[in-house]
Amino acid sequence: MSADTSHDTGHDTGHLPINAATDALLPDPGLAEHQWRPTDVDARAEKRAERQVATLFGLSAVATVLFVVFYITLKTGTDGHTFIGLGASNVALGTTLGLALLLIGLGVIQWARKLMGDHEISEQRHPAASSEEDRTATLAALNAGLEESGIGRRPLVRNSLLGSVALLAAPAVVMLRDLGPLPNQVVGEYPGAGLHHTIWAKGTRVVRDVVGTPIKASDIEIGDLFNAEPDGLFDLEGAELQIAKSKAAIVMLRMDPDDIISDVTRNWSVQGIVAYSKICTHVGCPISLNERTTHHLLCPCHQSTFDLADSGRVVFGPAGRHLPQLPLGVDDEGYLIALSDFLEPVGPSFWERNTKSPSEVAKELKS
Ligand code: FES
């Protein structure tokens, strides 16, 4: 193949033009004589190659199916199956998914090497911008390539490739499914299961975080801000404790009752003591920074700011909705209790969650 290196230098040097000199030094060697492949000249070799390619795609499909079977049947974790000291699940899933991808790659390589068109072409360099004529020619070449690949004529290869590639969606589906329960799905029989509820319930005493002691309104001074939990939380263990605590944690503040702006907040408070979810409605960071004079609560992650005197209204930042407030009351012994669970999901928004305003939520409590 020779390249057209001609260009206008703008000077008459009195020498040969550059392309003429180059051509004189480096004559175009042309193409070596074409060697036909066995599959180009032997119909049986061609059929054999076709079966080889289809076999590779078929084995890929088997590996994908095995991936799904191992995913469902092999135990993971510390009590799971092991294989030469390694987690058998990891070994099996890695091996089968790797094989599925490798075999498709090998099949495509064999297809190209043995069955696709084997014409050698030479092409002169041309200006980068494509002309209409070139585009037409490109399309024609593309169509010719498709024709030569035999994708239309070789249904066995085509269908086995399509089948093995389509099956590769299965690992993605089963792994995505493992990301967590759907919002309306309640997994497990434990208190506060699911995204819509916590373990707070009517009459549950409010206790201090860590120590678990119940709280009287008289124990709290104006300006105090502290973390609290539902009574009984610390009776739970392991994953149940973690899940319950991650949703039920609250932050409490006592302010001057005259500072309270919203009626809902006033109705759900006790002598100026309010309780809100501690989980930011943006992406779920625990909130803790209080601006004492404004009763604004700041999330340290992205600076969302909520007004605790006004139903947890967002006054700044990326949070898309207010901080859920826990309705508070007092029991016969004077301890603070919840009047109900939160009346809306706590934490970050998710699809299917309700988008009620605090006053709508309050109406539900009354009814
Ligand atoms: S998590 Fe609170 S502002 Fe982003």
Side-chain angles (χ1 to χ4, degrees):
M1 180 165 70
S2 69
D4 179 7
T5 56
S6 65
H7 61 275
D8 182 2
T9 63
H11 302 288
D12 180 7
T13 61
H15 295 93
L16 282 171
I18 290 174
N19 61 333
T22 309
D23 282 351
L25 292 172
L26 298 170
D28 182 356
L31 293 172
E33 191 182 345
H34 185 72
Q35 301 291 322
W36 293 104
R37 303 166 302 184
T39 47
D40 292 327
V41 293
D42 181 350
R44 282 193 307 176
E46 184 188 4
K47 266 291 170 215
R48 196 164 51 240
E50 194 173 333
R51 283 196 299 274
Q52 282 173 357
V53 172
T55 301
L56 288 168
F57 291 153
L59 288 174
S60 167
V62 171
T64 303
V65 170
L66 284 176
F67 173 94
V68 176
V69 171
F70 289 145
Y71 185 89
I72 294 167
T73 56
L74 289 181
K75 272 191 190 170
T76 58
T78 50
D79 63 338
H81 302 102
T82 56
F83 175 74
I84 55 170
L86 303 169
S89 173
N90 286 347
V91 172
L93 297 183
T95 305
T96 49
L97 189 56
L99 266 179
L101 295 169
L102 177 70
L103 288 166
I104 284 184
L106 291 177
V108 170
I109 290 171
Q110 286 296 85
W111 184 8
R113 284 185 63 233
K114 295 187 172 178
L115 296 171
M116 288 189 187
D118 189 30
H119 302 298
E120 292 172 3
I121 57 169
S122 67
E123 184 183 19
Q124 301 298 318
R125 291 186 185 173
H126 51 76
S130 303
S131 64
E132 193 54 43
E133 189 183 16
D134 285 344
R135 290 184 199 182
T136 309
T138 303
L139 269 182
L142 188 62
N143 288 332
L146 283 175
E147 177 62 28
E148 284 177 358
S149 74
I151 199 154
R153 285 181 287 113
R154 301 185 195 282
L156 181 60
V157 171
R158 183 194 59 216
N159 294 341
S160 55
L161 172 63
L162 289 178
S164 57
V165 170
L167 259 177
L168 275 179
V173 170
V174 293
M175 286 191 286
L176 279 173
R177 179 66 192 82
D178 213 29
L179 286 178
L182 296 171
N184 284 322
Q185 187 180 9
V186 176
V187 179
E189 294 294 323
Y190 54 86
L195 294 181
H196 287 274
H197 298 286
T198 73
I199 65 170
W200 287 105
K202 186 172 182 177
T204 304
R205 274 187 177 167
V206 180
V207 299
R208 289 193 183 266
D209 193 17
V210 182
V211 290
T213 51
I215 307 163
K216 286 187 173 174
S218 55
D219 296 339
I220 309 170
E221 295 189 359
I222 287 182
D224 279 356
L225 178 94
F226 57 96
N227 297 327
E229 305 287 353
D231 192 21
L233 176 82
F234 298 110
D235 298 338
L236 302 174
E237 290 180 343
E240 286 188 11
L241 171 63
Q242 297 305 324
I243 293 169
K245 189 172 184 186
S246 68
K247 293 186 296 174
I250 57 171
V251 63
M252 301 190 70
L253 171 72
R254 183 164 192 176
M255 65 182 89
D256 186 331
D258 292 340
D259 289 350
I260 294 179
I261 298 169
S262 115
D263 290 341
V264 175
T265 301
R266 186 172 300 108
N267 291 341
W268 290 359
S269 68
V270 173
Q271 299 169 30
I273 301 166
V274 291
Y276 285 88
S277 168
K278 189 175 170 61
I279 316 301
C280 182
T281 57
H282 180 219
V283 289
C285 283
I287 308 179
S288 56
L289 305 173
N290 179 36
E291 287 177 2
R292 187 173 173 137
T293 52
T294 59
H295 313 307
H296 287 175
L297 196 63
L298 179 77
C299 176
C301 288
H302 313 102
Q303 284 70 55
S304 284
T305 308
F306 305 88
D307 188 348
L308 301 194
D310 192 10
S311 301
R313 180 175 60 87
V314 180
V315 292
F316 179 78
R321 64 190 176 88
H322 63 272
L323 205 55
Q325 185 178 354
L326 184 73
L328 283 183
V330 178
D331 67 11
D332 297 342
E333 297 175 56
Y335 289 106
L336 292 173
I337 56 168
L339 295 182
S340 74
D341 189 7
F342 288 99
L343 292 192
E344 57 189 321
V346 299
S349 297
F350 51 86
W351 73 98
E352 298 174 13
R353 73 166 297 282
N354 70 43
T355 49
K356 294 171 192 155
S357 67
S359 50
E360 286 173 316
V361 173
K363 270 186 211 151
E364 264 186 32
L365 181 63
K366 280 184 194 156
S367 60

